[in-house]
Amino acid sequence: MTAAEFVAQLDAENQAALRGLEPDATLKPEVEGALNVPNLLKVALKNEIEATEIAARWLVTTDDVPVKLALARQVGDEAKHYRLIADRLAQLGVDAGAVDPLAGGYGPLFKYLDTLTTTVERVAAGQFTREAIAVVKNRQFIEFCERAGDKVTATLYRDVIEPDEYFHHQLGRSLLLRLAGTPEAQELARGAAARTLSLAEELQQAALKTAGIHHAPGC
Ligand SMILES: [Fe+2]
Ligand SMILES: [Fe+2]
């Protein structure tokens, strides 16, 4: 199949899988104990620093100039998100400077992405799929913030962060249209996308089990 047909198919498969990440419409989020906006923003800091770093690692290990530039844009955006979230935490009375988001080490998704060596896999996993997951999770987080009465955080995500993450997804789409033209490349891309989705599902289930978190923002 052509790259365009492949990307349309992968997108449809991703979207179908992502519906599994969306909470049951009837499920009322249970805000108990530590499940609040500041603590979810601390989870977001870790996601943003990991997204910054993986894009930076890939930027220096590709010779493909359009890919370098897409990753450079992403590095800047994810670092900007980190700063905006840290600023919002400060407004909420949390000193983000005292938080080391990598104190517990890198997460499983970062570690998986760091093993990928081909550009088509990296773009399929890290941009096309991960950023599609981020869009879904951020929309859930925006709803969570609104229910919690935090309009400022909801607006930050709706007006700045979520549009950037969607742009990263679209960067992945435009690169895949060029890179996924052969059956071999398509197989690599499909495998990397599937692994990314399954890790996201596992992470969500683990977060739900251990901390009751099902609205953690993504990048
Ligand atoms: Fe992103
Ligand atoms: Fe981000």
Side-chain angles (χ1 to χ4, degrees), residues 64-83:
D64 185 319
V65 170
V67 173
K68 270 188 193 294
L69 291 171
L71 291 167
R73 160 77 195 250
Q74 194 183 352
V75 169
D77 287 344
E78 309 295 12
K80 178 185 76 179
H81 299 164
Y82 189 101
R83 180 178 53 76

Side-chain angles (χ1 to χ4, degrees), residues 41 44-45 48 73 77-86 88 131 134-135 137-139 141-142 152-169 217-219:
L41 288 176
L45 286 180
E48 299 291 355
R73 160 77 195 250
D77 287 344
E78 309 295 12
K80 178 185 76 179
H81 299 164
Y82 189 101
R83 180 178 53 76
L84 291 169
I85 293 164
R88 180 63 192 140
E131 299 290 338
V135 168
K137 295 183 86 64
N138 286 341
R139 286 180 186 161
F141 180 60
I142 290 164
V152 176
T153 305
T155 301
L156 170 64
Y157 269 81
R158 184 183 294 110
D159 292 355
V160 182
I161 296 178
E162 205 264 355
D164 283 348
E165 311 303 11
Y166 185 70
F167 183 75
H168 302 156
H169 166 72
C219 348

Side-chain angles (χ1 to χ4, degrees), residues 108-132:
L109 181 57
F110 180 95
K111 287 180 184 160
Y112 167 66
L113 294 175
D114 200 36
T115 67
L116 297 175
T117 53
T118 69
T119 301
V120 73
E121 286 172 296
R122 290 170 171 182
V123 167
Q127 290 186 308
F128 189 73
T129 302
R130 186 194 197 186
E131 299 290 338

Side-chain angles (χ1 to χ4, degrees), residues 32-219:
E32 48 182 338
L35 184 55
N36 54 36
V37 171
N39 283 341
L40 289 170
L41 288 176
K42 287 186 206 164
V43 176
L45 286 180
K46 182 174 171 96
N47 288 334
E48 299 291 355
I49 193 68
E50 288 190 347
T52 304
E53 184 164 338
I54 198 69
R57 289 187 184 193
W58 290 347
L59 159 60
V60 297
T61 52
T62 179
D63 295 326
D64 185 319
V65 170
V67 173
K68 270 188 193 294
L69 291 171
L71 291 167
R73 160 77 195 250
Q74 194 183 352
V75 169
D77 287 344
E78 309 295 12
K80 178 185 76 179
H81 299 164
Y82 189 101
R83 180 178 53 76
L84 291 169
I85 293 164
D87 290 349
R88 180 63 192 140
L89 276 167
Q91 290 168 359
L92 294 169
V94 178
D95 177 11
V99 176
D100 177 359
L102 296 175
Y106 294 96
L109 181 57
F110 180 95
K111 287 180 184 160
Y112 167 66
L113 294 175
D114 200 36
T115 67
L116 297 175
T117 53
T118 69
T119 301
V120 73
E121 286 172 296
R122 290 170 171 182
V123 167
Q127 290 186 308
F128 189 73
T129 302
R130 186 194 197 186
E131 299 290 338
I133 295 168
V135 168
V136 169
K137 295 183 86 64
N138 286 341
R139 286 180 186 161
Q140 293 173 1
F141 180 60
I142 290 164
E143 283 176 28
F144 177 88
C145 291
E146 280 177 343
R147 276 193 297 263
D150 187 339
K151 285 200 185 322
V152 176
T153 305
T155 301
L156 170 64
Y157 269 81
R158 184 183 294 110
D159 292 355
V160 182
I161 296 178
E162 205 264 355
D164 283 348
E165 311 303 11
Y166 185 70
F167 183 75
H168 302 156
H169 166 72
Q170 293 291 21
L171 277 174
R173 176 188 305 272
S174 64
L175 293 171
L176 272 186
L177 286 171
R178 176 163 62 83
L179 298 168
T182 66
E184 295 75 25
Q186 290 169 9
E187 198 184 319
L188 287 172
R190 190 186 297 283
R195 185 79 188 108
T196 301
L197 279 167
S198 75
L199 274 168
E201 256 166 59
E202 278 169 37
L203 291 176
Q204 189 184 35
Q205 277 164 16
L208 190 55
K209 216 169 173 180
T210 57
I213 292 176
H214 37 107
H215 300 85
C219 348

